Amino acid sequence: MRAPLSWLREYVDLPADTTGRDVQAKLIDAGLEVERVEQLGSDLTGPLVVGKVLTIEELEGFRKPIRFCTVDVGMANGTGEPQEIVCGARNFTVGDKVVVVLPGAVLPGDFAIAARKTYGKVSHGMICSGEELGMGDDGSHGIIVLPPEYEPGTDAIELLQLRDEVLDIAVTPDRGYCLSMRGIAREVATAYGLPLRDPALLDVPAPNPHGHPVQVSDPLGCDRFTARTVTGLDPEARSPIWLQRRLQKAGMRPVSLAVDVTNYVMLELGQPLHAYDRSRLKGPIGVRRAERGEKLTTLDGTKRVLDAEDLVITDDNGPIGLAGVMGGANTEIAGPEEGGSTEVVIEAAHFDPVSIARTARRHKLSSEASKRFERGVDPAATSAAAQRTVDLLVLLAGGTPEAGVTEFAAPSAPRTIAMPAGHPDRVAGVDYGRETVVRRLQQVGCDVYGQDELIVTVPSWRPDLTDPNDLAEEVIRLEGYENLPATLPQPPAGRGLTERQRLHRRVGRALAGAGYTEALNYPFIGDWALDHLGLEADDPRRLTVRLANPLSEAEPSLRTTLLPGLFAALRRNDSRGEHDLALFETGLVFHPTGDERPALRLPVDRRPTDQEIAELDAALPAQPRRAAVVLAGARERTGWWGQGRPATWADAVEAGRIVAREAGVELIVRQDQQAPFHPGRCAALLAMADGQEVLVGNAGELHPRVVKAFGLPERSCAMEIDLDRLERAAGGVVEAPRISTFPVATQDVALVVDASVPAAEVEAALRSGAGELLESLRLFDVFTGEQLGEGKKSLAYALRFRAADRTLTAEEASAARESAVATAVERTGAVLRGA
Amino acid sequence: MSAPNKSYDPVEVEALKPEEIERMRNEALAAFAAAADLEALREAKAAHMGDRSPLALANREIGALPPQAKAEAGKRVGMARGAVNKAFAARQAELEAERDARVLVEEAVDVTLPYDRVPAGARHPLTTFCERVEDVFTAMGYEVAEGPEVEAEWFNFDALNFEPDHPARAMQDTFFVAGDKPGRETGVVLRTHTSPVQVRSMLDREPPIYVVCPGRVYRTDELDATHTPVFHQVELLAIDEGLTMADLKGTIEHMVRSLFGEGLTTRLRPNYFPFTEPSAELDMQCYVCRGASVGNPEQPCRTCSSEGWIELGGCGMVNPRVLVAAGIDPEKYSGFAFGFGIERMLMFRHNVEDMRDMVEGDVRFTRPFGMEI
């Protein structure tokens, strides 16, 4: 809502030196979001005067038509001689009154005016358009042609009210009354402690049966309807400058007198109005729900098929308007070019906010009217608004009001709220006292009765006031939020983060500590990404949660894997010149459970039952938390210290171990074949949970096709692991080991096995055979070569033996080693090398 | 070792003659003095102080002496060995000092050589900033609560007093989850705020409840310099007997000071949110200019655009209707809630100019933030 300060002054006697910024500050404190104060005309200096066009000479030979004019500007040019001006506009003739800017003036946008040569003539100034003067769109697409009554030489800055301050207010949905000058003026008056001249306090004639007939058949949808008729309108009458300027400053475009007047009254009182050309109405006006499939062409020229829930205004020919949203083209007021309308029926009605909101949304049609009805219009203002419209049409268009006054009002009672007088104090933590509470509520427009228990009747224009807390807010905001004290409550002693939350933090720190940089990617993916990953048709990762209104049709689903997002980040970094990359992300992935039913709309007037909550949760997809990494380029760089090395599958698997270690889980690594990985360089990552091996993730080098499809650096590697599953496999409290201080006995073994035998199996066999004396075991070399034979590899292990209670003899250590080797030979077909 | 022999004349034991002992001692001292480096000294030590050295061998002979001669011979040998040990230690110290002065200098390297063998990693500032906020509140006794990002509309809207056709609901620019057939509504959305976690917290816990809810939220905004469809919020919720707006203000001031520095004040401005009543917008004093830039064109402030205040987020007293939907007695309990966007806070706390920098995962942006923020 845009509120010109000059207009506000009509209702509140603000001190003369009060600026827009002063009012802004006061209104912000009172809870209105005044986003800015526009300084109209602050960058405009005259002379800017009324001129009368004396002669027009059409200049030939230019690419566009150009006129050389002489204009009478009175004594404004100091000589009284006609001013010579070149002009490109064509919407004026000799004798018209126009707005002339003279040399020495500065127009908005730091546009200094001087006499200058153009099109072979010297132009001493300019004939102005509304746009050049910063007036906003007047719909003329040309220069301003003034009504004939103004004298040449008259100051046009004053005449066109070009200097003003306009408060631009973002009105929150609860404060519909502030979508009017009346509402904003009320807040200004309260903020300054000044009286308000309420523009809705008008004498209105009593209703009688002689007005235009109205039949409301849906009083829930429409609880008020006032109809008034004005005849004898001068079809030539135009909106006066003051009215046009107010509309423009408020952000609306002047159209025709009747339309301008209804818009003006809407801005003033907040009551949307509609004017019908009476000659086009057939029979009584009706208000009812539309019949399904009924059609209506609205004023914007769109033909609409109506829904059975839409509230419509009708006459004998059918719908003539979408109630509270937009009128129909068939009963539209005729514009001046069509000869104008001479008699109009004015509608001022009140409609159900929910019904209007639904209709506006259904037809994707948000209008100045619907915006107000949705947020709540004062139902008691219909007759005043109709009266104000009648008055203005009489005043400005020479109309005559008909005596008939139609009023429909569904029975209603004022709304009251019971509230303990101390309630605002308890909400705020401040002792306001009863007297202050009552005074503030009265300023808002409430009637207040009672002592300790207040009975508060809320004003008709505040449908948002329904609960004691709403009233408390009114008191507290008018007393000033800025005056609230600050105190600290004492929560019960807390326990800090949960184990799960600690784990998530540790995982991030561990990966970052290992050289990975975190990237937080959008979770939106498209099927193309799943294709690029090379997923089989039945891969569960292809089952996605889809959005009804995605930002991009190319990415309408939610991710089932973190990898595509990380790939995009990898590629972006690579293309920007970073080539040695290690990225990680932790976040949710989304898997439909397959049996979601639509989520229930539970009641809000009680706690839902556990059963209801469970059903609501069952409507949601599974949302496990994952961690993933991608690697490309060098893992260790080459430098003065020696050769570096590229990132490999082993780094990816190690990233899995890094994550698992934080959960206290020793990963079991198995050979695997799984998209999107290289079939020979893919590891399954497993963990023991409740005595069962559980797959928690995969790691390895990416399949060359995947690398190509996503445009990644060659040999990129990746790992993805499920943190929720890992958490379930997490070890409990660590039991402290007993540390033996007896000497260690070290023994090495080299075993030759088939190349296909996983090292993990050999290691497991050695461990199992070595028995309790084995303290640790480490693979220190892997060797393949001709001397071993085709398809063989040698694995060299260092075994460390130690007893808790004695120094081991050489014989004991050797026996343990031999037992370890024997088990490995038996289980894996290993041959002891050099034996 | 020889056995004692009573008839044996001590004088006859050649090795224990005083002049012999004296000779052994002098030879050892001369050898140490002659050792040119630590290696030579080690050899001399083995020759003159080792198990097979003349003095060690002489020492063994003492046992062969008659008792009356043992004491004197032992004393003689002991003094000689003491002198040798001392001379060795002195020469060793001398040679080590020499080595330190020479060899270690030769071993000098250029310690300014760079070492970026494995470049350092970093956590995203959005993550670490969320954690920092969590830490402020857990220190006060709050718990950290989390919830699903794909959420039922009832949790995201209805339970929070967003009426089905209220304009506030349309203002949230919601992503809706599609049904199995076009046009079929699922009642499931991408949460537009972390407030549904507040509702879940109220349903899961008995008052008093003090929780802080961080997380990712979604709105249908296109990505540009100041908007992103996926962003992060932290909300806090306190439900207890007798909580007031003053408590809300004090709590947020504590947070602001913890995150931005001592002495900063906050300002509440009335606003509207369906889930709080009264509701307020919360501003903090600009931590850069502390208001000095207001009306002072000489000293403009980029952080607050010379407004003196920075808008932090929305807050208010939990609407009693929300308490009712969550099964909490509004007659007995009251509560407050506060929510703010992490991206926004990061933008002004760390002078981030473009939202896209926080979204694109460029390592050059993230690395300087390190592990904590």
Side-chain angles (χ1 to χ4, degrees):
Chain A
M1 179 76 190
R2 293 165 53 87
L5 188 60
S6 61
W7 197 350
L8 283 171
R9 286 181 184 275
E10 195 170 310
Y11 315 115
V12 188
D13 289 329
L14 288 170
D17 59 351
T18 302
T19 66
R21 287 201 176 277
D22 297 338
V23 178
Q24 175 187 35
K26 289 268 193 188
L27 288 181
I28 285 175
D29 286 346
L32 290 186
E33 204 172 321
V34 186
E35 291 186 324
R36 63 206 178 105
V37 181
E38 214 171 291
Q39 305 290 332
L40 295 185
S42 62
D43 50 357
L44 171 74
T45 45
L48 186 74
V49 297
V50 174
K52 181 179 179 185
V53 181
L54 300 174
T55 63
I56 298 176
E57 177 193 344
E58 302 285 348
L59 299 181
E60 306 291 336
F62 298 105
R63 267 192 300 177
K64 56 178 190 171
I66 295 295
R67 292 171 153 187
F68 179 67
C69 313
T70 57
V71 185
D72 173 10
V73 294
M75 291 302 290
N77 56 4
T79 64
E81 293 296 312
Q83 195 79 2
E84 296 181 346
I85 298 174
V86 175
C87 182
R90 308 196 58 77
N91 63 324
F92 62 97
T93 56
V94 171
D96 274 353
K97 297 285 174 63
V98 294
V99 181
V100 176
V101 62
L102 297 175
V106 181
L107 293 187
D110 208 16
F111 181 16
I113 303 298
R116 66 187 185 101
K117 196 162 181 201
T118 179
Y119 298 105
K121 301 274 183 186
V122 176
S123 185
H124 298 272
M126 217 168 82
I127 303 177
C128 297
S129 70
E131 208 172 322
E132 283 156 350
L133 300 178
M135 290 167 63
D137 183 9
D138 60 1
S140 68
H141 306 297
I143 57 110
I144 301 167
V145 179
L146 296 168
E149 61 264 32
Y150 301 106
E151 283 301 312
T154 308
D155 178 19
I157 293 178
E158 189 67 26
L159 177 69
L160 296 173
Q161 297 162 26
L162 294 177
R163 292 219 176 94
D164 202 349
E165 296 188 88
V166 179
L167 283 72
D168 194 352
I169 304 175
V171 177
T172 52
D174 59 327
R175 297 194 184 276
Y177 70 101
C178 283
L179 290 173
S180 68
M181 296 304 297
R182 178 197 185 204
I184 294 168
R186 185 183 305 280
E187 292 293 341
V188 172
T190 306
Y192 278 88
L194 293 169
L196 169 76
R197 275 191 297 278
D198 186 348
L201 284 181
L202 295 178
D203 286 335
V204 294
N208 57 54
H210 312 300
H212 194 94
V214 171
Q215 290 165 358
V216 176
S217 46
D218 190 334
L220 287 178
C222 172
D223 58 359
R224 299 268 184 152
F225 201 113
T226 302
R228 298 287 299 274
T229 306
V230 183
T231 59
L233 299 173
D234 173 7
E236 299 285 309
R238 293 170 59 190
S239 300
I241 289 173
W242 66 265
L243 196 154
Q244 293 200 27
R245 290 298 294 139
R246 282 192 171 177
L247 290 180
Q248 285 178 329
K249 288 175 189 175
M252 297 188 90
R253 191 164 64 86
V255 181
S256 66
L257 179 59
V259 173
D260 292 351
V261 165
T262 55
N263 282 335
Y264 180 84
V265 175
M266 175 180 73
L267 290 172
E268 186 178 49
L269 301 179
Q271 169 67 56
L273 295 133
H274 193 71
Y276 302 93
D277 186 328
R278 188 163 77 168
S279 65
R280 298 184 180 184
L281 278 176
K282 295 279 174 297
I285 291 176
V287 184
R288 61 164 167 86
R289 298 287 164 180
E291 283 157 29
R292 203 176 157 172
E294 256 183 318
K295 294 185 178 63
L296 171 69
T297 302
T298 41
L299 283 174
D300 57 357
T302 308
K303 191 168 185 179
R304 298 174 189 276
V305 180
L306 303 180
D307 184 274
E309 273 194 30
D310 290 334
L311 198 63
V312 289
I313 312 295
T314 61
D315 70 0
D316 286 352
N317 288 337
I320 56 171
L322 263 182
V325 182
M326 192 172 278
N330 47 359
T331 54
E332 189 182 356
I333 298 280
E337 61 282 1
E338 308 164 75
S341 296
T342 56
E343 32 190 65
V344 297
V345 177
I346 295 148
E347 162 202 312
H350 185 257
F351 302 108
D352 172 43
V354 171
S355 173
I356 300 301
R358 285 188 184 161
T359 293
R361 215 169 48 206
R362 192 178 295 122
H363 295 285
K364 296 189 172 60
L365 180 60
S366 178
S367 64
E368 290 291 327
S370 71
K371 208 167 79 185
R372 285 177 172 77
F373 280 121
E374 278 180 45
R375 286 163 174 77
V377 164
D378 182 357
T382 55
S383 44
Q387 183 62 46
R388 180 80 168 124
T389 310
V390 169
D391 291 346
L392 285 171
L393 288 175
V394 169
L395 179 73
L396 303 174
T400 310
E402 286 200 348
V405 176
T406 305
E407 286 265 1
F408 164 81
S412 67
R415 286 178 306 109
T416 61
I417 302 168
M419 177 182 78
H423 186 68
D425 296 21
R426 278 195 295 280
V427 172
V430 176
D431 284 331
Y432 296 125
R434 180 187 174 282
E435 198 183 318
T436 301
V437 168
V438 170
R439 178 169 53 85
R440 288 303 189 181
L441 290 176
Q442 284 168 342
Q443 281 177 334
V444 170
C446 297
D447 287 329
V448 186
Y449 300 96
Q451 279 300 315
D452 294 342
E453 186 74 14
L454 303 179
I455 303 296
V456 182
T457 305
V458 303
S460 56
W461 60 85
R462 293 298 303 270
D464 60 305
L465 302 180
T466 57
D467 295 353
N469 269 37
D470 299 326
L471 301 179
E473 178 178 78
E474 294 300 308
V475 173
I476 298 166
R477 78 176 173 94
L478 294 179
E479 283 295 301
Y481 274 22
E482 69 275 18
N483 297 321
L484 286 169
T487 54
L488 262 184
Q490 286 286 317
R495 291 181 198 165
L497 300 177
T498 62
E499 286 304 323
R500 175 186 169 79
Q501 288 157 354
R502 282 176 211 279
L503 169 63
H504 294 164
R505 286 193 180 190
R506 282 199 306 273
V507 166
R509 288 204 191 107
L511 287 172
Y516 291 86
T517 301
E518 188 171 20
L520 296 171
N521 302 297
Y522 287 175
F524 307 121
I525 59 167
D527 287 344
W528 59 268
L530 303 172
D531 294 339
H532 283 180
L533 288 174
L535 303 186
E536 300 287 341
D538 60 350
D539 192 299
R541 284 171 288 182
R542 279 194 179 275
L543 277 179
T544 57
V545 174
R546 298 184 91 87
L547 298 175
N549 55 335
L551 278 186
S552 157
E553 288 302 331
E555 295 185 324
S557 296
L558 297 183
R559 64 187 177 192
T560 51
T561 156
L562 302 180
L563 294 181
L566 278 172
F567 291 166
L570 184 71
R571 194 167 80 152
R572 191 175 298 123
N573 276 290
D574 187 60
S575 71
R576 290 177 181 179
E578 291 279 323
H579 306 302
D580 300 331
L581 290 161
L583 304 179
F584 83 98
E585 178 171 15
T586 65
L588 302 190
V589 297
F590 308 88
H591 294 287
T593 58
D595 58 348
E596 289 98 344
R597 278 150 295 174
L600 302 172
R601 177 128 307 152
L602 299 180
V604 293
D605 55 354
R606 61 166 172 83
R607 184 192 201 280
T609 64
D610 290 347
Q611 168 78 18
E612 285 170 329
I613 295 170
E615 283 177 39
L616 212 51
D617 283 340
L620 303 179
Q623 302 174 50
R625 182 171 287 271
R626 297 265 183 85
V629 308
V630 291
L631 294 128
R635 180 70 171 130
E636 287 178 27
R637 291 174 176 172
T638 298
W640 56 265
W641 52 82
Q643 267 300 312
R645 62 172 191 82
T648 67
W649 60 270
D651 295 299
V653 175
E654 180 58 14
R657 289 199 187 92
I658 289 169
V659 173
R661 203 172 294 136
E662 296 305 322
V665 172
E666 179 100 11
L667 277 189
I668 304 162
V669 179
R670 294 252 165 78
Q671 204 78 29
D672 199 3
Q673 292 195 355
Q674 180 78 45
F677 296 101
H678 183 311
R681 297 181 174 186
C682 171
L685 310 176
L686 303 104
M688 294 297 287
D690 304 325
Q692 299 262 316
E693 277 187 7
V694 180
L695 181 71
V696 292
N698 282 99
E701 186 178 313
L702 293 168
H703 197 294
R705 279 204 303 269
V706 174
V707 167
K708 188 161 174 241
F710 283 97
L712 305 180
E714 278 183 21
R715 302 272 175 203
S716 292
C717 297
M719 183 281 297
E720 182 164 27
I721 195 164
D722 189 308
L723 292 177
D724 290 353
R725 286 189 196 170
L726 209 54
E727 191 195 344
R728 283 194 286 279
V733 175
V734 172
E735 181 135 334
R738 299 288 172 267
I739 299 301
S740 168
T741 53
F742 289 95
V744 66
T746 305
Q747 303 253 343
D748 292 352
V749 295
L751 296 171
V752 177
V753 292
D754 281 346
S756 62
V757 174
E761 273 178 35
V762 178
E763 181 175 326
L766 285 172
R767 278 187 191 282
S768 136
E772 282 187 353
L773 294 178
L774 183 72
E775 184 181 76
S776 69
L777 171 158
R778 184 170 179 272
L779 176 69
F780 66 85
D781 193 25
V782 180
F783 173 72
T784 55
E786 273 177 24
Q787 59 268 54
L788 294 175
E790 186 81 2
K792 297 281 185 190
K793 64 183 171 190
S794 164
L795 304 172
Y797 292 91
L799 285 67
R800 290 159 60 90
F801 297 102
R802 188 154 16 203
D805 55 351
R806 65 189 187 282
T807 301
L808 288 180
T809 64
E811 292 75 26
E812 282 178 300
S814 294
R817 171 182 181 268
E818 273 153 31
S819 167
V821 170
T823 309
V825 167
E826 184 194 323
R827 289 198 196 163
T828 68
V831 175
L832 188 63
R833 202 167 164 220
Chain B
M1 201 180 289
S2 313
N5 186 339
K6 288 181 185 171
S7 66
Y8 208 75
D9 180 353
V11 184
E12 294 304 308
V13 179
E14 188 66 21
L16 291 172
K17 285 182 181 162
E19 59 274 24
E20 268 303 298
I21 302 289
E22 178 74 12
R23 187 184 56 78
M24 291 174 201
R25 191 191 77 130
N26 290 345
E27 277 177 9
L29 263 50
F32 293 161
D37 55 28
L38 285 165
E39 183 53 35
L41 184 64
R42 214 168 3 255
E43 278 165 26
K45 184 191 181 191
H48 297 280
M49 292 166 71
D51 286 349
R52 310 294 299 172
S53 67
L55 275 169
L57 294 175
N59 196 47
R60 291 186 197 164
E61 298 296 334
I62 294 170
L65 295 179
Q68 68 275 18
K70 275 185 182 169
E72 201 196 331
K75 188 178 167 195
R76 207 156 40 228
V77 174
M79 281 177 64
R81 295 182 88 180
V84 169
N85 284 346
K86 203 172 153 192
F88 171 77
R91 184 60 183 153
Q92 187 178 35
E94 223 171 87
L95 288 175
E96 278 177 355
E98 213 170 274
R99 179 203 62 189
D100 290 355
R102 179 173 46 79
V103 181
L104 295 192
V105 165
E106 280 169 16
E107 285 177 7
V109 295
D110 177 3
V111 297
T112 69
L113 286 173
Y115 194 77
D116 58 349
R117 193 168 188 160
V118 178
R123 305 175 73 206
H124 200 282
L126 289 171
T127 309
T128 48
F129 196 68
C130 272
E131 290 180 2
R132 199 178 166 111
V133 177
E134 290 166 17
D135 290 346
V136 169
F137 285 99
T138 51
M140 293 166 76
Y142 285 60
E143 290 178 61
V144 177
E146 291 158 305
E149 291 175 14
V150 178
E151 183 59 286
E153 279 190 55
W154 188 84
F155 280 113
N156 196 72
F157 289 127
D158 300 58
L160 292 161
N161 193 39
F162 283 83
E163 285 171 25
D165 293 288
H166 199 278
R169 201 149 166 157
M171 276 167 55
Q172 294 259 352
D173 305 325
T174 311
F175 282 110
F176 293 92
V177 168
D180 48 3
K181 294 201 179 77
R184 179 169 296 183
E185 289 187 8
T186 55
V188 177
V189 298
L190 303 194
R191 66 180 179 194
T192 57
H193 44 195
T194 52
S195 312
V197 183
Q198 297 189 10
V199 179
R200 290 180 176 274
S201 299
M202 287 188 272
L203 291 170
D204 287 348
R205 296 164 165 83
E206 292 291 325
I209 298 167
Y210 289 83
V211 291
V212 55
C213 317
R216 254 185 163 191
V217 300
Y218 302 86
R219 307 246 176 121
T220 56
D221 288 320
E222 295 281 352
L223 175 66
D224 63 23
T226 54
H227 296 86
T228 162
V230 182
F231 56 103
H232 296 74
Q233 271 193 342
V234 174
E235 293 197 338
L236 63 106
L237 171 75
I239 307 284
D240 207 337
E241 289 182 50
L243 290 181
T244 66
M245 284 185 89
D247 291 329
L248 165 65
K249 191 171 183 196
T251 301
I252 301 173
E253 267 183 14
H254 178 78
M255 182 197 82
V256 164
R257 287 169 187 168
S258 303
L259 295 175
F260 293 94
E262 285 305 318
L264 291 169
T265 58
T266 61
R267 173 176 84 168
L268 295 173
R269 284 179 291 121
N271 203 331
Y272 168 76
F273 307 107
F275 38 94
T276 48
E277 188 71 40
S279 301
E281 196 70 42
L282 185 110
D283 301 337
M284 63 175 265
Q285 194 180 27
C286 177
Y287 72 103
V288 175
C289 72
R290 297 198 175 221
S293 68
V294 180
N296 185 357
E298 302 292 300
Q299 231 187 307
C301 179
R302 279 172 63 194
T303 304
C304 65
S305 312
S306 301
E307 300 275 339
W309 295 95
I310 299 169
E311 198 173 302
L312 273 193
C315 62
M317 302 305 290
V318 178
N319 194 315
R321 289 166 187 249
V322 174
L323 296 179
V324 168
I328 291 173
D329 179 3
E331 298 293 319
K332 184 169 180 195
Y333 293 104
S334 59
F336 59 76
F338 169 49
F340 56 91
I342 294 295
E343 276 79 358
R344 226 187 102 63
M345 251 203 207
L346 209 61
M347 282 180 104
F348 62 73
R349 188 174 189 259
H350 295 273
N351 207 5
V352 182
E353 282 203 338
D354 195 313
M355 183 69 81
R356 286 168 285 218
D357 291 337
M358 287 185 279
V359 165
E360 290 179 337
D362 193 313
V363 294
R364 293 169 301 166
F365 173 79
T366 306
R367 271 184 193 140
F369 290 98
M371 300 290 256
E372 298 269 347
I373 196 167

